[in-house]
Amino acid sequence: MGQHETVATSLAATVREEIGAGLAEVDAELARRYPGDPGTRQPVHTVYVPGDVFAADTVRSWGDQALAALDEHAPDAGALASVLGIPDELAGPVYERVRAKLEREPVEDLRVDFEDGYGARSDAEEDEAAARAAAVIAAAYKDGTAAPYMGIRMKCMEAAVRDRGIRTLDVFLTGLMEAGGLPDGLVLTLPKVTYAEQVTAMVRLLEAFEKARGLEAGRIGFEIQIETTQSILGADGRATVARMIEAAEGRATSLHYGTFDYSASCGVSAAHQSLDHPVADHAKAVMQVAAAGTGVRLSDGSTNVLPIGPTAQVHDAWRLHHGLVRRSLARAYYQGWDMHPGHLPTRYAAVYAFYREGLESAAARLAAYVAKTAGDVADEPASAKALAGYLLRGLDCGAVDADEAARLTGLTRADLDALAGRPVKGA
């Protein structure tokens, strides 16, 4: 019984070797194209602020305005839970975490906008605004007041605005370098992409900057904004998102859905342009499949219904925003845009409730999977990967505490990273 018994086979060892040799290129291609989750924190939202409005106090100002909105329209946990339909058992923990988040880190990702939110200005004015943005962001990272991720959205690569967009990017990046170097949280956004060649042009542009400033090749990545029909379906009838990811040559960090430009390009009337419109669902489904396994993250768009005015009107806007954020989370779009400080309370309320309501169940399932004990769900490795990813995202955004996750699962952060298929830090 203790000895290995020889079993009968029919294939020579050379068959396996030949097959391995024949698939070597495919193996390499799979590893290159689908490296998996990068293991870095993904922000839960992106805030866009026009280049002429952005200032040193922008992040703190958004947090203060969001706290003031809570004080006026939902001064306690019960009030917010009643408006949003948050279960009683989650009301207190969610409300406390929302307020703490708004006091500590109200914005996770901020983009200084030089595109639609800024418009056409004189060259001198845009030069000055881009230089100021670089100076303010550099100073914020030095004094600890920066959002975890910050950067700009330049104008697109279309002929009419291409030169201006390139100059703005150059002024901004040069300003950061002159102020001490590129921050780790730097994020750039390339909007209104229609052809993969425009992505290639962005790569060549960044390569030239890196060479000019003596930076490591590949240091600067960027987001691709999906807001044109051509970015989903090309003139030849073929899907184009995957081509754009490939054209980025490993520099693409995420795909951001542009709600209003994309809806308008499909002919959707203004009254029906929304994250939950069928054209939006189709575009994001294509983005999701194209990005799966590549390490490129997804971001949903925004709502333009602002929570301002009398309390009843604010509550209506909050319910709409909260519902859209929850819908996105359920569809695995873990990031979105926020257009107004009043959106922050409902962004974080939706995110925290999403991760806390499933915390104990997910932790129990993962613990049972690791211990190989029977439970009421027969989880497979893919399910364990999803469960670990769910807990990690909850940890990253502050919905779940590290000691809480460890107590419920019996697992360390490194254990969760390994189960989720993320790189294990220090390994």
Side-chain angles (χ1 to χ4, degrees):
M1 289 292 293
Q3 296 179 349
H4 176 73
E5 297 183 6
T6 302
V7 296
T9 61
S10 301
L11 299 176
T14 54
V15 175
R16 295 195 305 273
E17 294 168 359
E18 289 170 1
I19 290 176
L23 290 176
E25 290 186 11
V26 170
D27 294 340
E29 184 80 347
L30 283 170
R32 182 182 70 81
R33 288 180 181 268
Y34 302 103
D37 193 294
T40 55
R41 173 185 178 184
Q42 180 179 13
V44 302
H45 72 164
T46 302
V47 163
Y48 280 78
V49 178
D52 58 330
V53 174
F54 176 65
D57 65 346
T58 293
V59 171
R60 186 63 263 154
S61 175
W62 272 60
D64 291 343
Q65 290 179 68
L67 286 166
L70 270 183
D71 290 339
E72 181 176 357
H73 304 294
D76 55 49
L80 187 65
S82 176
V83 172
L84 303 180
I86 296 173
D88 291 343
E89 64 272 17
L90 292 178
V94 166
Y95 191 80
E96 291 167 7
R97 287 172 187 269
V98 169
R99 290 199 69 95
K101 180 71 168 181
L102 296 175
E103 291 166 356
R104 181 186 75 255
E105 187 184 77
V107 175
E108 292 196 357
D109 184 27
L110 186 144
R111 209 71 70 250
V112 185
D113 191 14
F114 289 95
E115 205 231 355
D116 285 348
Y118 185 75
R121 311 292 180 94
S122 70
D123 285 339
E125 186 176 359
E126 187 158 339
D127 281 352
E128 191 276 331
R132 186 181 68 251
V136 170
I137 288 175
Y141 276 107
K142 287 178 181 177
D143 65 22
T145 61
Y149 300 94
M150 301 184 81
I152 67 168
R153 176 169 71 167
M154 60 189 281
K155 290 177 171 61
C156 69
M157 287 291 181
E158 293 177 355
V161 294
R162 182 186 304 138
D163 287 349
R164 181 62 258 182
I166 291 172
R167 180 174 175 82
T168 297
L169 181 64
D170 188 7
V171 170
F172 175 71
L173 292 177
T174 299
L176 289 177
M177 291 298 296
E178 295 295 317
L182 304 183
D184 290 338
L186 174 67
V187 188
L188 306 174
T189 305
L190 179 65
K192 292 185 175 58
V193 179
T194 52
Y195 279 72
E197 287 81 358
Q198 294 168 333
V199 176
T200 300
M202 183 69 166
V203 172
R204 299 288 89 80
L205 177 61
L206 296 177
E207 284 177 341
F209 186 88
E210 289 165 351
K211 184 176 180 180
R213 300 299 306 211
L215 295 170
E216 178 186 358
R219 165 65 180 84
I220 310 173
F222 61 96
E223 302 167 336
I224 301 171
Q225 201 158 3
I226 304 298
E227 50 185 340
T228 68
T229 55
Q230 294 91 344
S231 61
I232 295 295
L233 191 70
D236 58 1
R238 296 167 62 190
T240 47
V241 182
R243 287 190 239 171
M244 292 178 180
I245 293 174
E246 177 69 8
E249 299 178 19
R251 293 178 185 263
T253 57
S254 57
L255 304 175
H256 282 231
Y257 176 68
T259 308
F260 305 105
D261 281 279
Y262 188 85
S263 298
S265 70
C266 289
V268 179
S269 62
H272 297 284
Q273 293 175 357
S274 174
L275 301 181
D276 58 359
H277 193 281
V279 302
D281 284 341
H282 172 259
K284 288 179 287 188
V286 174
M287 292 164 57
Q288 193 169 41
V289 174
T294 65
V296 177
R297 267 91 177 247
L298 298 178
S299 175
D300 210 337
S302 61
T303 176
N304 58 1
V305 179
L306 305 184
I308 57 177
T311 295
Q313 186 171 319
V314 170
H315 285 180
D316 285 342
W318 272 355
R319 277 188 286 266
L320 173 65
H321 183 242
H322 181 264
L324 289 171
V325 173
R326 282 196 60 89
R327 184 180 190 273
S328 295
L329 290 168
R331 285 158 174 76
Y333 312 133
Y334 298 115
Q335 185 177 353
W337 303 4
D338 288 325
M339 298 181 69
H340 188 272
H343 285 141
L344 300 186
T346 38
R347 168 67 62 181
Y348 292 123
V351 168
Y352 290 165
F354 177 78
Y355 289 114
R356 293 204 65 80
E357 68 192 11
L359 172 60
E360 292 191 5
S361 174
R365 286 175 61 183
L366 197 57
Y369 173 83
V370 172
K372 295 181 170 56
T373 57
D376 57 358
V377 179
D379 285 318
E380 297 183 351
S383 298
K385 181 177 182 179
L387 290 165
Y390 173 82
L391 294 175
L392 286 166
R393 285 188 290 272
L395 284 166
D396 286 343
C397 73
V400 180
D401 297 326
D403 58 350
E404 187 177 27
R407 174 176 55 82
L408 291 170
T409 63
L411 302 172
T412 65
R413 172 74 189 227
D415 293 331
L416 292 174
D417 281 331
L419 286 165
R422 294 184 176 190
V424 178
K425 295 176 176 61

